[in-house]
Amino acid sequence: MSKPTGNPINDGLLKIAGEKNIETIWDRFELQEPHCGFGTLGLCCKICNLGPCRIDPFGEGPQKGACGADADVISARNLARSAAAGAACHSDHGRDLAMTLLELARGKAKDYSIKDPVKLRNLAVEFGIKIDNKNDLKIAEELGEAILKEFGKQEGELTFVKRAPKKQLDTWRRLNAVPRGMDIEIVQAMSRTHIGCDNEYRHLIELAIKTSLADGWGGSMVATELSDILFGSPRPIRAEANLGVLKEDEVNVLVHGHEPTLSDIIVSASQDKEIIELAKKAGAKGINLSGICCTAAEVLMRHGIPMAGNFLQQEIAIITGAVEAMIVDIQCIMPSLPEIAKSFHTKLISTSPKARFKGMDHIEFNEKDALGIAKKILRIAIENYKNRDASKVNIPKEKMTLIAGFTMENIFYNLGGSFRKSYRPLNDAIISGRIRGVAGVVGCDNPKNQSGLCHADMVKHLIKNDVLVVQTGCSAGACAKAGLLTPESAFRFAGEGLKEICETVGIPPVLHAGSCVDNTRILTACCEMVKEGGLGSSIDELPVAGAAPEWMSEKAIAIGWYFVASGIFVVIGTPLRVLGSKAVADYICNDIEPVVGGKWAFEEDPIKAADLMIAHIDKKREALKLKPLICVTP
Ligand code: MSK
């Protein structure tokens, strides 16, 4: 059995895995230790076939690859490539939603509709589309076309960068960092990092910045905005989280991955009378839908569908023995799942034309017959209910209530009430010293850390110190399970000032803002704070900070970079793979701050990392000459 993970629920199911000789991520992770030192430090180059080359970090062996690239070039080049991969994932996600919008507008996706026509119209205006007397579908068609052009645009600037404060935009313009289109920046990141191309580390870091900005202010922002239009803008909603949401007497179906196009329709299909009747005929009380990873966040925010688990829990969800079907699309899906499912009855179904898995059944999703495909998948799950072996069922009891569904728009209402829809109350609370500042705590969970415990420890420390926390992705899931996403948690964990605000407004001290692509909601909220006034003239002047304490994916690198480049201080748990180059590490953790306004820090201890964020927030408060905190928590 693998070492204890620090999470009793995971440990209980991992014990069962150990007894059945089932290998999980924790076992495989252990077998990889110690991790390759060259790779960890960013000193391994596999870009061309002169190598793989490596640089000796002790200065005794080779200091240059066969082509002459030194530690600075190799680590900066690797970093830029990782950022490009992350940006590509989010942008492709955004592109798919633009395609769905277009199919809907052209009558080829009959199972979808425009769920937020106000947002559709606002976005169309932002893209320069004339509304006149056009109906929603006509506007959707023109908007879909305009957004798809944005992906392939070769010159000019992305439309969404206009949302940024002028000072921020001027900084990017000075650096030639304003993305032209999503695709061109990702392609250039790949071409410029080819052997013998871009060979100056600062120039390569600028490349990482531009590519990541194309994600944050491009692909991801498109994904968030179009998801709201197609599936509805979230509103605060009560739900539950943790593996205890699985039910012994229902057909348990898990949706896992990232894109909401299928999962949203599965929600409708699971409420279909015919499907519920079928489940009852099979001996179950109904269909119990829940989610893993960011797909979970998408359906949680919009429909209150429970979140069964985050990234690290995808394997152990199957080990509960109670899952009839797990439906996957793209990103963060472990290829190990089919091997684990062999010991249980769970059917694994891949659905995206982009992602296949050895050992999974594949039912390709297609917007033209979305509901039909969703029902087909649910019928397979229902049919599989009879194969559940009661002796193998071990559903943990633990589950926790949470409130999710906070967006840049609805936070207006929550903070200001219906007569005062503005960021004024938030800015005033910060200016008057009731709230110290705002922190975004996001990202994955990682066996290098303790099963999501870093997130909860960090967030508790931040709210205790009157920092309002906004979360997305698996980090939000981890804190939901720790009971931090309820208004009541303010009484247990928040400092006096933050508690007072939460009590007055009725919000949790930790706001769930959605999935990985929804980190852009944090960007737009920062823009609104600047626009509201009193907290400086650009994002880098705000008393805010960001963190990804257990990051693991390349998407997290792109996200971190677009926050840093947007002027935000970002602390991550394990370092980016640049420590083999003192020049690159110094540059991105220090010298870059006067250039873009933000910078990176690496700190594994979640409390020390939170203290770095608090110190940064205090530094910004001081620069803005804000009042001292009203209630300093002892
Ligand atoms: S799912 S990228 S493990 S947050 Fe977005 Fe979670 Fe990280 Fe995947």
Side-chain angles (χ1 to χ4, degrees), residues 449-467:
N449 310 87
Q450 276 202 310
S451 276
L453 299 187
C454 287
H455 298 279
D457 290 347
M458 171 182 277
V459 167
K460 278 185 200 162
H461 193 67
L462 288 167
I463 61 175
K464 181 178 142 201
N465 284 282
D466 297 299
V467 177

Side-chain angles (χ1 to χ4, degrees), residues 257-258 293-294 311 331-332 443-445 473-475 516 552-553 555:
H258 279 78
C293 276
C294 280
F311 172 72
Q331 298 167 23
C332 303
C444 327
D445 48 351
C474 291
S475 183
C516 291
M552 65 87 198
S553 82
K555 290 179 291 173

Side-chain angles (χ1 to χ4, degrees), residues 90 256-258 292-295 297 307 309-312 314 330-333 442-446 455 472-476 514-517 519 550-556 559:
H90 285 150
H256 174 18
H258 279 78
I292 302 266
C293 276
C294 280
T295 294
M307 176 183 196
N310 28 4
F311 172 72
L312 282 180
Q314 57 188 284
I330 51 163
Q331 298 167 23
C332 303
I333 300 147
V442 306
C444 327
D445 48 351
N446 188 327
H455 298 279
T472 61
C474 291
S475 183
S515 64
C516 291
V517 293
N519 282 309
E550 300 192 21
W551 77 279
M552 65 87 198
S553 82
E554 288 168 310
K555 290 179 291 173
I559 293 167

Side-chain angles (χ1 to χ4, degrees), residues 400-578:
M400 191 53 85
T401 303
L402 73 139
I403 309 282
F406 293 93
T407 64
M408 188 277 286
E409 294 89 349
N410 70 34
I411 198 74
F412 275 91
Y413 175 79
N414 284 295
L415 290 167
S418 52
F419 298 109
R420 255 186 108 197
K421 286 185 187 179
S422 84
Y423 272 66
R424 199 66 254 154
L426 173 63
N427 284 23
D428 283 348
I430 294 173
I431 292 166
S432 66
R434 279 189 169 73
I435 295 179
R436 186 178 225 127
V438 183
V441 180
V442 306
C444 327
D445 48 351
N446 188 327
K448 285 183 178 167
N449 310 87
Q450 276 202 310
S451 276
L453 299 187
C454 287
H455 298 279
D457 290 347
M458 171 182 277
V459 167
K460 278 185 200 162
H461 193 67
L462 288 167
I463 61 175
K464 181 178 142 201
N465 284 282
D466 297 299
V467 177
L468 178 69
V469 174
V470 184
Q471 294 211 274
T472 61
C474 291
S475 183
C479 289
K481 289 185 284 179
L484 297 172
L485 272 59
T486 60
E488 302 80 50
S489 71
F491 296 98
R492 276 190 70 196
F493 301 110
E496 289 304 318
L498 179 59
K499 193 196 307 179
E500 189 187 300
I501 298 287
C502 292
E503 200 181 357
T504 315
V505 184
I507 55 167
V510 187
L511 305 175
H512 192 322
S515 64
C516 291
V517 293
D518 292 332
N519 282 309
T520 60
R521 296 191 200 275
I522 302 177
L523 285 181
T524 41
C526 287
C527 296
E528 292 301 320
M529 286 167 74
V530 173
K531 218 193 284 173
E532 190 60 49
L535 291 174
S537 56
S538 63
I539 298 174
D540 63 280
E541 292 178 51
L542 293 172
V544 301
E550 300 192 21
W551 77 279
M552 65 87 198
S553 82
E554 288 168 310
K555 290 179 291 173
I557 297 178
I559 293 167
W561 265 123
Y562 71 64
F563 275 112
V564 166
S566 300
I568 294 176
F569 172 59
V570 173
V571 191
I572 54 173
T574 39
L576 291 172
R577 293 186 194 131
V578 295

